[in-house]
Amino acid sequence: MSESNAPAISNPVEYIQHHLGNMTHNGERPASLVDFSVFFVDTFVMSLILALAFAFAAWKVGKNLDPDKPTGMQNILETVVEFVNQQVKDIFPTADKWVGPLAITIFVWVALMNTMDIIPVDLIPSLVSGVAGVFGYDPAHVYWKAVPTTNLDTTFALALLVFGLIIFYNIKHKGLFGYMKVFATHPFSASNPIVKVLLFPINVVMTAIEEVAKPVSLGLRLFGNMFAGELLFLLIALLAFSYWAMPGQVVLGVLWSIFHILVILLQAFIFMLLTIVYLGLASQGTDEH
Amino acid sequence: MNVTATLIGQLIVFSILIWFIKAVLWEPVINTLEDRKKRIADGLAASEKGMKDQELAAENAKHAIKEAKQAAAEIIAQAKARDTQMIEEAKNKAVEEADRVIAGAQAEIDQEVNRAKDSLRTQVSALAVAGASKILGKEVDANAHKAALKELIEQI
């Protein structure tokens, strides 16, 4: 095999593993699935940059709101705010001043983090590796996972806050006793007091599962979709193993990128919508049960 | 694919971001949108009201013009009537005046005639007395023949 025919990616397994590795604060890999001694610098920095970008745009627009002639970024953010507000109005039973900001933050921030998936898979990691190389690190051992939502930490951070708010809203609108009553009498209810008591443990378990399933499904859905999307981009990138396969990489890459735009916005939208729905359910009074 | 301390960092970033977005973006934009909605509604209502006012004004103007026309026609009719009346009055006055003038003239003529008759009577009696004297050759006493003279005069 001559030099010109050398594969662009010599070791596919190593390539994918490298791409799926995170930069940690001490260079150690997490020992187990849950390991709080490790901090992923790449995920945190990427999401922080995007959060700051959104915050900056919001501050810039919010500072000089032009009520008569909205232009540029104000138009975009006004549209997003109106869209999210409409969803909240349609779903949420009562007026609440925090649901709107929560929903728009989820929608925009998640959409921005997901959008990192559209950037060519090697671009950001290579840039970071290059910069690290300048500072004397070995580029082969610099890991950088660019899409924060392909990380369970990010999706579960969002889901956990939503979970906490679900409990808070339940107690706020139903009262602590009312919330406990939901656990005791939901989903199976009976008029006979003896049957009621018999159903009590089943109801508690069922409702607890139902409640816990909400954040878990929220976090895993977003993570799964984005992780799968990222993995597919990596697999498409692997087609660069030979020159004759490169047209396939271009065609598939374009197709998957276009399709992924849909996934990116859809997942952000679903996360936002389910958050509103869950909090809306939590805000209903006890009369419905 | 792990859950690590990053979770806590992300939670903090997320919480702060929500608070920040609420303060700088959500509330100002919602307020602006509400304000704009209200102003548009107000503007539309005002324009509708203006249109209605204009319609009303046009209706009023039409009405006023109609009334003015009517009044003008009435005035003209009145003037015409007055005109005819004045001419009639003038005619009547003229006729009356003419009648009076004629009557005056008639009276004067009658007076003249009577005066002429009177003088004629006196002259006739004197003439008769003179004529009789001449015929009789003697003085005739007018008083003695007063009755005959009076009869004569009466015949004139």
Side-chain angles (χ1 to χ4, degrees), chain A residues 218-247:
Chain A
L218 269 183
L220 283 182
R221 180 184 301 109
L222 180 59
F223 165 75
N225 271 283
M226 296 326 293
F227 189 80
E230 174 82 344
L231 202 61
L232 212 58
F233 274 119
L234 290 174
L235 292 174
I236 289 166
L238 277 183
L239 286 174
F241 69 87
S242 173
Y243 288 115
W244 60 261
M246 276 189 180

Side-chain angles (χ1 to χ4, degrees), chain A residues 28-173:
Chain A
E28 301 278 324
R29 294 295 183 92
S32 59
L33 184 63
V34 179
D35 184 355
F36 274 91
S37 66
V38 176
F39 188 82
F40 289 155
V41 178
D42 47 4
T43 299
F44 187 71
V45 167
M46 289 302 289
S47 60
L48 189 64
I49 288 171
L50 293 170
L52 288 176
F54 178 38
F56 179 72
W59 171 73
K60 194 99 175 148
V61 166
K63 196 179 51 164
N64 322 304
L65 275 178
D66 187 345
D68 296 320
K69 292 193 207 92
T71 49
M73 189 54 100
Q74 190 188 337
N75 271 330
I76 297 168
L77 288 180
E78 259 186 22
T79 310
V80 176
V81 167
E82 216 168 9
F83 168 70
V84 173
N85 196 32
Q86 192 55 50
Q87 302 293 335
V88 173
K89 270 187 188 164
D90 288 347
I91 297 168
F92 214 70
T94 54
D96 189 282
K97 57 183 177 147
W98 280 101
V99 174
L102 172 70
I104 197 175
T105 307
I106 289 174
F107 181 61
V108 176
W109 197 31
V110 170
L112 283 174
M113 290 192 288
N114 290 354
T115 307
M116 294 301 105
D117 226 355
I118 293 293
I119 297 171
V121 280
D122 277 332
L123 184 61
I124 298 173
S126 303
L127 277 175
V128 175
S129 298
V131 172
V134 170
F135 285 100
Y137 293 95
D138 177 10
H141 288 100
V142 173
Y143 299 96
W144 194 267
K145 216 170 146 189
V147 190
T149 41
T150 58
N151 198 307
L152 277 175
D153 288 320
T154 309
T155 61
F156 272 124
L158 295 164
L160 273 180
L161 192 79
V162 172
F163 184 57
L165 286 172
I166 289 173
I167 294 171
F168 174 75
Y169 274 73
N170 265 315
I171 293 172
K172 185 181 164 196
H173 289 276

Side-chain angles (χ1 to χ4, degrees), chain A residues 32-36 38 40 47 54-55 62 65 67-68 78 85 97-98 100 102 106 153-154 157-158 161 223, chain B residues 1-7 9-11 13-15 17-18 20-22 24-26 28-30 32-33 36 39:
Chain A
S32 59
L33 184 63
V34 179
D35 184 355
F36 274 91
V38 176
F40 289 155
S47 60
F54 178 38
L65 275 178
D68 296 320
E78 259 186 22
N85 196 32
K97 57 183 177 147
W98 280 101
L102 172 70
I106 289 174
D153 288 320
T154 309
L158 295 164
L161 192 79
F223 165 75
Chain B
M1 239 203 281
N2 306 80
V3 176
T4 64
T6 323
L7 182 88
Q10 298 288 61
L11 260 175
V13 172
F14 185 40
S15 307
L17 189 61
I18 294 170
F20 188 79
I21 291 302
K22 178 178 187 284
V24 304
L25 181 72
W26 185 265
V29 169
I30 289 285
T32 307
L33 290 178
R36 187 183 299 158
R39 277 202 328 206

